[in-house]
Amino acid sequence: HFTIPIDNASQFKKINETLISEYEFKKWKYKFIASIETFYKKQPYFEEGMDIVTSILHSSFSTISEVSANSITACCDLFGISTSVKYSSQMGNSKELKKELRLIDICKQCECSFYINAVGGKDIYTSDMFFPHEITLEFITPNIAPYPVQGRSFVPSLSILDAIMCCGKDYIRDNLLSGYTVEEA
């Protein structure tokens, strides 16, 4: 868990409107990198993990959503996953819609016939919401398999960075990325 310094924090701002505090971020970045180095320096894939951390943190971005997208893209690149990342804020009418209607609109714009949500969305979305729009709703649940760590106990669902530092990209790609189940709502 970590927080990035932002300007004028507000729970009413959208993630793509939440600006990173440029001055505070510069100081924070070096402290964050130092803490990652301290915690992970003895892990076997430390250099591989630090390469991704520094490439993300030294990228150009101004909002929290850009940091998130850069992180996702960097991980996809590392694992050889070719996919495009789209910002929902740049997709037509969806900005004015709320909750499932926004997701349905995005699915229609992307010509999707199914939508896969994290398992936590079961409390929010039902198949009845998506069915009239000819969209199948599914939920994905990761199967958290323990992976080798050195000098401490395995902590499930800690972070992708932890897995990279401890196991490396090849182990993750070959053993962890396929560990999930998808079920229809």
Side-chain angles (χ1 to χ4, degrees), residues 39-46 148-152 165-166:
F39 190 77
Y40 286 106
K41 65 184 168 191
K42 293 182 180 176
Q43 295 302 323
Y45 296 91
F46 170 75
V149 298
Q150 292 184 3
R152 63 177 172 84
M165 296 278 197
C166 296

Side-chain angles (χ1 to χ4, degrees), residues 5-166:
I6 58 175
D7 283 332
N8 304 316
S10 170
Q11 66 184 19
F12 301 108
K13 283 186 180 178
K14 295 177 182 170
I15 190 170
N16 68 318
E17 298 169 343
T18 304
L19 298 174
I20 294 170
S21 172
E22 196 171 331
Y23 174 74
E24 292 295 323
F25 180 76
K26 287 177 184 176
K27 294 188 302 185
W28 172 87
K29 175 172 48 175
Y30 294 105
K31 287 180 183 177
F32 180 73
I33 289 172
S35 68
I36 294 294
E37 287 174 342
T38 300
F39 190 77
Y40 286 106
K41 65 184 168 191
K42 293 182 180 176
Q43 295 302 323
Y45 296 91
F46 170 75
E47 292 298 328
E48 189 174 307
M50 284 310 294
D51 287 347
I52 197 166
V53 169
T54 55
S55 72
I56 292 167
L57 294 180
H58 293 305
S59 298
S60 176
F61 45 76
S62 58
T63 67
I64 294 294
S65 65
E66 291 170 340
V67 174
S68 297
N70 286 353
S71 299
I72 292 166
T73 301
C75 287
C76 286
D77 291 346
L78 182 69
F79 301 127
I81 299 169
S82 59
T83 190
S84 62
V85 174
K86 295 182 180 184
Y87 290 85
S88 63
S89 60
Q90 297 171 347
M91 299 184 79
N93 299 329
S94 66
K95 289 181 245 181
E96 290 78 34
L97 300 172
K98 302 291 181 208
K99 297 184 183 180
E100 78 277 356
L101 293 178
R102 182 174 182 172
L103 290 175
I104 290 165
D105 185 60
I106 291 169
C107 287
K108 286 180 178 180
Q109 288 184 53
C110 294
E111 300 178 358
C112 298
S113 58
F114 66 93
Y115 173 70
I116 301 175
N117 198 87
V119 70
K122 284 184 174 183
D123 296 337
I124 304 169
Y125 306 118
T126 66
S127 59
D128 293 344
M129 297 169 172
F130 290 78
F131 182 77
H133 304 278
E134 299 179 355
I135 299 170
T136 301
L137 173 65
E138 297 177 334
F139 294 100
I140 188 167
T141 304
N143 301 329
I144 308 301
Y147 49 82
V149 298
Q150 292 184 3
R152 63 177 172 84
S153 299
F154 170 74
V155 179
S157 303
L158 185 57
S159 73
I160 191 63
L161 179 59
D162 184 69
I164 293 168
M165 296 278 197
C166 296

